[in-house]
Amino acid sequence: SRPDGWEVRFDRPGMGEGDMEMFVAMPPGWHITTGPSGIFWDPDLTAEGDFRIEAEIYLFDPEGRRESFGIFFGGRDLAGDAQAYTYFLIRDGGQYIVKERNGADAPTLVAWTDHDAVVSWADREEGGANVLNTLAVESRAGTLHFFVNDVEVTSVPAGDMPVDGVVGLRVNHRLNLHVSRLEVMPLGG
């Protein structure tokens, strides 16, 4: 029961929506419980020029797994062989990464890096059922700025990487998440 208008692509060929546990509209936002890892997007949600993307993502018990999740942007040909996008992920244990996807290639732009801004499962309030992280990316004057919980964790020149295009979510396998907000805001005039 995928939300209206949303598309899904799994990393491994041959995987289908029957392999996913849940992806449903659950106001505010969407609930995703993955089987295989993949990307989730609404083709009408796009960003170009100078923009800010923000996503509020609640992580439920990862059961000891350190699988990553986050946002992508610059998406094009997402269902085809030439899929391309840039993605910004975090994982339990307090780390983030920035990567690109170009067809079958996925070069790393910023390797896994520890940062105190990332809230881990162990940081939740006693008896808490989840932890919240807000991820953001700003594209300004040819530079990409990456934020976790309003703290800039890194920046990179945009160069030739995919920046303008479809915006969505990237979620690795066997994660239980609630995304309460995913929005794009233009910056400047």
Side-chain angles (χ1 to χ4, degrees):
S1 57
R2 175 172 20 120
D4 288 343
W6 282 75
E7 303 291 331
V8 177
R9 178 179 182 154
F10 298 109
D11 292 346
R12 289 179 38 205
M15 294 297 212
E17 290 190 46
D19 298 302
M20 181 173 53
E21 291 190 31
M22 180 191 320
F23 177 35
V24 297
M26 187 181 289
W30 310 270
H31 201 90
I32 302 172
T33 306
T34 53
S37 58
I39 56 174
F40 304 78
W41 75 95
D42 177 341
D44 294 332
L45 186 60
T46 62
E48 63 181 38
D50 287 351
F51 60 79
R52 180 178 174 93
I53 302 165
E54 282 188 10
E56 291 177 342
I57 305 175
Y58 292 84
L59 171 68
F60 291 82
D61 189 352
E63 299 174 351
R65 292 182 301 278
R66 295 187 66 208
E67 295 299 325
S68 56
F69 57 92
I71 53 181
F72 75 82
F73 55 95
R76 50 186 187 257
D77 193 30
L78 295 175
D81 292 339
Q83 67 172 321
Y85 55 89
T86 302
Y87 54 112
F88 175 45
L89 308 178
I90 61 172
R91 69 180 177 189
D92 195 41
Q95 296 180 315
Y96 70 87
I97 192 170
V98 180
K99 295 186 71 155
E100 250 184 278
R101 168 71 69 180
N102 289 304
D105 296 330
T108 299
L109 304 172
V110 179
W112 282 114
T113 304
D114 293 321
H115 202 287
D116 291 342
V118 180
V119 180
S120 295
W121 178 249
D123 299 329
R124 72 191 182 287
E125 294 180 16
E126 187 174 333
N130 56 56
V131 293
L132 170 64
N133 281 283
T134 301
L135 280 67
V137 176
E138 287 186 3
S139 175
R140 287 182 272 143
T143 300
L144 298 171
H145 303 266
F146 299 87
F147 301 82
V148 178
N149 299 316
D150 293 324
V151 175
E152 185 169 348
V153 295
T154 194
S155 64
V156 297
D160 294 330
M161 73 180 70
V163 176
D164 293 349
V166 175
V167 171
L169 304 166
R170 175 156 180 82
V171 183
N172 278 5
H173 69 279
R174 300 193 35 92
L175 283 172
N176 184 3
L177 306 173
H178 185 79
V179 181
S180 60
R181 185 168 58 88
L182 174 62
E183 61 185 339
V184 176
M185 295 154 279
L187 296 177

